[in-house]
Amino acid sequence: MRRLLAIAAVTSLSLSVTACAGANPLSSGTSDSSGGSSQAHPQVPVGSIDQFRVTEHASFDEGWAMSFLPGTDHLLISERGGSLQLRDQGSGEVVEVGGVPEVHHAGQAGMHDVIPGPDFETDGTVYLSWVRDHELGAQGVVGRATLDVDKASLSGLEVIWEQDPTSGDGHFSLRMLIQEENLFVTSGDRQKFDPAQDRQTNLGAVLRLTLDGDPAPGNPWADEGGKAAELWTIGHRNPLGIAEDKAGNLWVSEMGPRGGDELNLLVEGENYGWPDASMGVHYDGSPIPDHTPGDGFRAPAEYWAPSISPGSLAIYRGGLFPGWENSALLGGLSGQRLVRVQIDGGEAQTVEQWDAGERVRAVAEAPDGAVWILEDGDGGRLLELRPA
Ligand SMILES: [Ca+2]
């Protein structure tokens, strides 16, 4: 009941302020007494995914991530329950990969991300992230292994990085991206808030590691030692997407509190505010100060109120969809949609969105420029989108 009342209070507040046009809280510094953003944002019409030519290819149970494997005709898909599936894009055959690690599957925990290494075509290296049992609680880890596509098997699996062990089954994040010789890993706050501002944990942060999982040389807080040497940016809540734009900038999508989902431009050494600033409010309705100019935190380039729960991020580089080059594509879980955000330098603005009718867990661009999405949950469909 208390929760319902809190929702009602926030809703009536938002209704009362919606009539006041204009004010973007990020640029004007205006905020309301709730500490949450008071206007729906962004205000962009929602189309239908049926505007595209949609082809259903397969379905998976709790699909979490997918990667097109360079130099092959295969798509690698992780299922949160603890499996990897290899799909032959020519024949459509799907085979389960052997040699995967045992995962802790509960809450938000399980098998997470999977990406090819920088020399996958010659050495078959893949990076995996998952959650494992630990004597002090569930623990997120990153591992490296060799994938034999023909045999559909992993070998030589080794854990190369660990989240600080904590109990609880939420906010692991664990998305990965390789840029040159660096492995970037997103690490959620484990639903414990304060670790995002504590540089002696590797939680609530984006990490910059070597390809062996060690702290990368030259990280901004390296001289503080310990976990701080791993950190690239801090103040993140549950960053579930990371992607590189055509200029080489990295972007992170972040699941915020209620009404505080964010798209952030990653800048070395910046603090993104969690849990001290957010455009949203806590799920119990209690306020959080808005991101405002001069507060010492980097404000999001784009945010969503009400929440869409972005579970993935891709930045479109192909030419199949005219006008989409360098657009961020986000999949919404609670928002059940695909969102296109135009990136211009460090600015980002939502320009289009489409109702998918289901929770969207992952978004990826195929080598031919088609956009593939993976629905969440048991029997979630793998869909290919092409221009109609
Ligand atoms: Ca933030």
Side-chain angles (χ1 to χ4, degrees):
M1 179 54 87
R2 193 174 148 201
R3 190 182 162 110
L4 286 175
L5 287 174
I7 291 169
V10 170
T11 304
S12 66
L13 178 66
S14 81
L15 286 174
S16 66
V17 187
T18 301
C20 310
N24 179 342
L26 293 185
S27 54
S28 67
T30 54
S31 63
D32 61 72
S33 59
S34 76
S37 59
S38 49
Q39 286 181 284
H41 180 91
Q43 298 196 349
V44 173
V46 184
S48 165
I49 203 171
D50 294 331
Q51 290 173 231
F52 303 107
R53 186 148 63 87
V54 181
T55 306
E56 178 183 341
H57 287 293
S59 64
F60 297 89
D61 289 334
E62 294 189 87
W64 206 90
M66 59 179 157
S67 282
F68 291 90
L69 297 176
T72 78
D73 196 21
H74 286 80
L75 177 63
L76 186 58
I77 290 162
S78 66
E79 294 177 310
R80 200 165 60 82
S83 60
L84 291 182
Q85 305 284 349
L86 199 51
R87 181 176 191 273
D88 185 319
Q89 295 289 90
S91 69
E93 186 189 9
V94 176
V95 294
E96 185 165 347
V97 175
V100 300
E102 214 168 280
V103 307
H104 171 78
H105 180 219
Q108 298 170 9
M111 185 71 82
H112 277 47
D113 206 4
V114 55
I115 62 170
D119 300 313
F120 176 82
E121 291 186 47
T122 51
D123 65 13
T125 297
V126 292
Y127 288 81
L128 313 174
S129 61
W130 70 94
V131 179
R132 67 182 179 187
D133 287 317
H134 187 281
E135 57 185 2
L136 299 177
Q139 181 183 45
V141 298
V142 168
R144 182 172 58 181
T146 303
L147 173 65
D148 186 321
V149 170
D150 294 332
K151 294 179 180 161
S153 72
L154 287 182
S155 61
L157 179 68
E158 53 172 342
V159 171
I160 61 168
W161 176 84
E162 307 170 344
Q163 274 179 332
D164 267 359
T166 53
S167 58
D169 290 326
H171 293 190
F172 299 94
S173 303
L174 301 177
R175 289 274 181 198
M176 299 178 291
L177 178 142
I178 292 172
Q179 185 182 53
E180 295 166 358
E181 293 301 305
N182 295 314
L183 172 66
F184 289 84
V185 179
T186 70
S187 181
D189 76 343
R190 302 301 323 281
Q191 297 177 310
K192 293 190 180 307
F193 308 97
D194 296 332
Q197 295 294 330
D198 178 356
R199 294 196 294 270
Q200 281 305 323
T201 77
N202 58 15
L203 308 179
V206 177
L207 316 173
R208 180 171 165 267
L209 307 173
T210 68
L211 296 177
D212 296 325
D214 298 320
N219 277 347
W221 293 289
D223 59 359
E224 295 179 15
K227 295 295 181 199
E230 300 180 3
L231 309 177
W232 184 247
T233 58
I234 62 171
H236 300 281
R237 182 177 179 272
N238 190 14
L240 280 168
I242 184 167
E244 179 180 355
D245 72 16
K246 69 175 182 181
N249 293 319
L250 299 188
W251 296 79
V252 159
S253 60
E254 180 165 337
M255 215 181 274
R258 186 191 305 152
D261 295 338
E262 300 180 345
L263 180 64
N264 285 304
L265 172 65
L266 276 196
V267 177
E268 173 187 1
E270 290 274 18
N271 184 339
Y272 291 78
W274 182 253
D276 298 325
S278 170
M279 302 312 290
V281 299
H282 288 294
Y283 274 94
D284 66 3
S286 59
I288 308 169
D290 279 356
H291 274 289
T292 51
D295 66 3
F297 302 124
R298 190 178 185 94
E302 179 62 296
Y303 71 97
W304 287 268
S307 300
I308 59 169
S309 311
S312 54
L313 172 68
I315 295 181
Y316 191 75
R317 309 292 281 277
L320 188 64
F321 289 86
W324 284 26
E325 194 199 4
N326 212 38
S327 287
L329 301 175
L330 296 98
L333 290 161
S334 67
Q336 300 194 346
R337 69 189 63 181
L338 178 67
V339 179
R340 182 168 80 87
V341 176
Q342 201 160 285
I343 290 174
D344 182 8
E347 312 266 298
Q349 185 181 15
T350 302
V351 287
E352 293 182 282
Q353 48 183 340
W354 303 272
D355 180 6
E358 296 288 346
R359 292 162 59 87
V360 178
R361 174 56 74 174
V363 180
E365 179 185 337
D368 68 355
V371 171
W372 291 57
I373 66 174
L374 187 56
E375 295 174 349
D376 195 38
D378 283 345
R381 296 175 301 168
L382 175 67
L383 303 176
E384 177 186 10
L385 311 185
R386 304 182 75 87

